[in-house]
């Protein structure tokens, strides 16, 4: 896992300098790089397109931005960090006194050497973000202010990658692509999603897995609007965000609270004995709130480490590649793989010999257990599966009620199914 963690961290470092937003070339450049790791289908949705209650906005791109003092020295420079410009800033080219400029400056007085992340997507505005200590060092006087940006009709860009399964029913995995230089909040999620897709592609999963790379809120809303007629295929889903810090894993349940993805994540996290939190659904956070909106009410939860706004570095320049660790991202990836293994193998079976206990020895099932170090556990798993295979209990229900590992329960079900004692 160390090696894959290092690979994910390298992807985070490579994506970190790019200036992303809800639209624009930074998103495309990000998807181009992800496309080197796995094939993507890229969608371009024109400005003005109605998507549910929203409209796709104009596309924003930026080439340069700075504040320069009277000597021409850039005291704030977009080239040094994409966080230095208020996201979606309209173009500006003026000279003004510091007293006037202050209204357009954003800082974090409690963390004077950090640069905040701020946006103004749907209200025409311009501004700069800088460290409080930089602002404090600026003398009164005139400053040249320039933002070389464009807001024009264009497109909203999102991408999908599909891992075909044995059935058409889908599991969606969603991550947001709209944040600029923020390593944990969203690049770690992009990296984990990408390497999860690669791992699933090496198997033959039961479900079809659809990975969605889209800008937050408007991107998920656009995807839902464009897929409303086939949304019934989505049986489960997971939003990945803040996936690389060293905090404990946190699972936020779907709006339903008892969706199968909720049961699976609760089981996997508990069985793994990892320190973790399970939180109830709230209609605030990342794109789980779009997938779980009442009209869709999809079984989509959210997996993170420290949740959004739960760490001081959130939405600041301190959320840099040093803030995320290869080990944490590898651990997040491992939990995703464990959860999807359970999800893929979870079935409801019907006992075909429900009157009394069937003779397992006559069918060679006891003989098959001979010599195994876990003979007693495997035997108990068979008995539990037979007893609860009434068409209503899933294998996960069996594992939870029996206290046996899910893998043992699923293995017992495979053996019983092959012997003709249970059916799906």
């Amino acid at each position: 896992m160390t090696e894959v963690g290092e690979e994910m961290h390298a992807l985070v470092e490579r994506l970190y300098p790019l200036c992303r937003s809800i639209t624009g070339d930074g998103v495309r450049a990000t998807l181009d790089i992800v496309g080197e790791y796995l094939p993507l289908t890229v969608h371009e949705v024109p400005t003005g397109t109605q998507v549910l209650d929203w409209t796709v906005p104009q596309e924003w791109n930026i080439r340069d931005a700075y504040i320069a003092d009277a000597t021409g020295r850039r005291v704030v420079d977009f080239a040094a960090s994409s966080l230095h410009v208020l996201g979606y800033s309209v173009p500006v080219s003026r000279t003004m006194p510091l007293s006037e400029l202050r209204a357009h400056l954003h800082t974090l007085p409690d963390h004077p050497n950090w640069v905040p992340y701020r946006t103004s997507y749907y209200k025409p505005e311009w501004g700069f973000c800088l460290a409080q200590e930089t602002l404090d060092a600026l003398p009164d006087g005139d400053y040249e202010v320039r933002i070389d940006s464009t807001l024009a009709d264009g497109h909203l860009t999102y991408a999908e990658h599909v891992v075909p399964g044995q059935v058409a029913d889908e599991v969606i995995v969603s991550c947001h692509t709209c944040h600029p230089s923020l390593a944990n909040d969203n690049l770690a999620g992009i990296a984990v999603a990408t390497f999860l897709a690669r791992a699933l592609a090496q198997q033959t999963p039961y479900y079809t897995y659809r990975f969605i790379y889209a800008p937050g809120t408007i991107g998920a809303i656009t995807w839902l609007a464009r897929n409303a007629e086939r949304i019934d295929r989505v049986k489960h889903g997971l939003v990945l965000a803040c996936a690389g810090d060293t905090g404990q894993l946190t699972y936020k349940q779907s709006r339903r609270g008892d969706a199968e993805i909720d049961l699976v994540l609760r089981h996997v996290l508990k069985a793994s004995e990892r320190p973790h939190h399970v939180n109830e659904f709230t209609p605030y956070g990342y794109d789980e709130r779009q997938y779980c909106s009442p009209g869709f009410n999809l079984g989509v939860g959210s997996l993170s480490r420290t949740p959004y706004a739960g760490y001081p570095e959130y939405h600041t320049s301190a959320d840099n590649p040093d803030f995320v660790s290869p080990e944490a991202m590898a651990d997040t990836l491992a939990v995703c793989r464990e959860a999807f293994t359970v999800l893929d193998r979870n079935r409801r079976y019907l006992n075909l010999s429900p009157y009394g206990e069937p003779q397992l020895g006559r069918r060679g099932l006891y003989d098959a257990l001979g010599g195994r170090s876990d003979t007693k556990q495997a035997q108990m798993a068979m008995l539990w599966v037979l007893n609860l295979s009434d068409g209503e209990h899933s294998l996960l229900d069996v594992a939870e009620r029996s206290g046996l590992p899910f893998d043992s329960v699923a293995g017992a079900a495979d053996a019983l199914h092959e012997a003709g004692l249970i059916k799906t």
Side-chain angles (χ1 to χ4, degrees):
M1 252 324 162
T2 303
E3 183 178 347
V4 73
E6 294 290 350
E7 291 181 62
M8 287 189 287
H9 196 269
L11 176 56
V12 168
E13 289 183 313
R14 190 175 172 195
L15 294 173
Y16 183 76
L18 298 177
C19 182
R20 281 164 293 274
S21 188
I22 56 172
T23 62
D25 291 335
V27 176
R28 296 185 186 96
T30 298
L31 296 177
D32 284 345
I33 291 173
V34 173
E36 297 176 16
Y37 290 77
L38 69 168
L40 295 177
T41 300
V42 177
H43 304 270
E44 298 277 8
V45 185
T47 295
T49 302
Q50 188 72 27
V51 286
L52 305 181
D53 193 48
W54 294 59
T55 303
V56 172
Q58 289 189 312
E59 182 176 323
W60 182 69
N61 285 293
I62 182 167
R63 287 167 289 275
D64 193 16
Y66 60 86
I67 301 172
D69 63 18
T71 70
R73 180 178 67 93
R74 294 190 176 192
V75 295
V76 178
D77 192 353
F78 170 75
S81 171
S82 59
L83 294 179
H84 276 311
V85 173
L86 178 79
Y88 253 63
S89 280
V90 298
V92 61
S93 181
R94 295 175 55 191
T95 298
M96 65 183 67
L98 181 60
S99 58
E100 181 182 349
L101 178 57
R102 282 182 181 275
H104 298 276
L105 301 182
H106 305 271
T107 64
L108 294 166
D110 292 340
H111 297 281
N113 62 338
W114 294 358
V115 177
Y117 164 57
R118 300 286 186 269
T119 63
S120 184
Y121 294 141
Y122 300 105
K123 178 183 178 182
E125 184 57 272
W126 65 267
F128 288 86
C129 300
L130 65 159
Q132 181 66 46
E133 61 185 16
T134 300
L135 177 57
D136 291 342
L138 295 181
D140 288 333
D142 288 343
Y143 290 85
E144 181 190 359
V145 179
R146 180 164 173 77
I147 298 177
D148 183 11
S149 64
T150 56
L151 265 170
D153 288 352
H155 297 82
L156 178 146
T157 309
Y158 72 90
E160 296 175 289
H161 172 78
V162 176
V163 180
Q166 299 170 38
V167 297
D169 290 345
E170 292 186 359
V171 180
I172 60 172
V173 180
S174 181
C175 57
H176 57 288
T177 58
C178 51
H179 288 10
S181 297
L182 299 173
N184 195 41
D185 180 24
N186 64 345
L187 296 180
I190 291 173
V192 171
T194 299
F195 280 77
L196 177 60
R198 293 178 70 179
L200 287 170
Q202 296 172 8
Q203 309 165 12
T204 306
Y206 177 73
Y207 289 108
T208 293
Y209 286 82
R210 183 177 299 274
F211 288 78
I212 302 168
Y213 297 83
T217 305
I218 186 65
I221 286 171
T222 299
W223 186 88
L224 286 164
R226 289 165 60 89
N227 290 273
E229 293 182 358
R230 52 180 300 281
I231 210 72
D232 59 336
R233 291 189 190 177
V234 177
K235 304 304 179 184
H236 320 282
L238 192 63
V239 171
L240 291 173
C242 301
D245 68 87
T246 57
Q248 294 182 5
L249 282 158
T250 300
Y251 177 68
K252 176 183 174 181
Q253 299 186 116
S254 73
R255 178 178 181 268
R256 300 179 193 174
D258 61 352
E260 191 170 343
I261 192 72
D262 302 325
L263 306 179
V264 167
L265 261 297
R266 293 203 301 257
H267 174 83
V268 166
L269 288 169
K270 180 181 177 182
S272 73
E273 298 185 344
R274 292 176 171 90
H276 68 277
H277 304 282
V278 175
N279 295 338
E280 297 293 329
F281 174 80
T282 63
Y284 185 76
Y286 290 108
D287 285 328
E288 68 279 354
R289 70 189 197 275
Q290 310 307 332
Y291 301 119
C292 293
S293 55
F296 295 107
N297 197 26
L298 298 175
V300 177
S302 176
L303 184 66
S304 60
R305 302 195 72 87
T306 307
Y308 54 88
Y311 51 97
E313 297 84 356
Y314 178 77
H315 279 194
T316 78
S317 57
D319 184 359
N320 57 47
D322 292 335
F323 180 67
V324 299
S325 78
E327 294 78 13
M329 284 190 285
D331 187 49
T332 307
L333 175 62
V335 168
C336 291
R337 295 187 66 177
E338 292 166 23
F340 288 163
T341 295
V342 172
L343 193 64
D344 256 15
R345 298 181 72 186
N346 196 30
R347 302 280 187 282
R348 284 178 171 79
Y349 286 93
L350 186 65
N351 188 336
L352 298 178
S353 184
Y355 300 101
E357 182 181 306
Q359 190 174 5
L360 301 181
R362 172 165 69 84
R363 294 172 171 84
L365 292 172
Y366 280 143
D367 293 341
L369 301 177
R372 288 177 52 161
S373 59
D374 63 342
T375 298
K376 180 67 173 178
Q377 180 174 277
Q379 180 180 336
M380 287 302 300
M382 284 190 183
L383 296 177
W384 272 107
V385 170
L386 283 168
N387 190 269
L388 292 181
S389 289
D390 52 9
E392 296 182 3
H393 292 86
S394 70
L395 295 184
L396 185 57
D397 293 331
V398 177
E400 284 284 303
R401 185 163 176 179
S402 68
L404 294 168
F406 179 86
D407 191 59
S408 295
V409 170
D414 289 342
L416 292 167
H417 185 264
E418 187 175 343
L421 286 171
I422 60 175
K423 71 174 184 178
T424 52

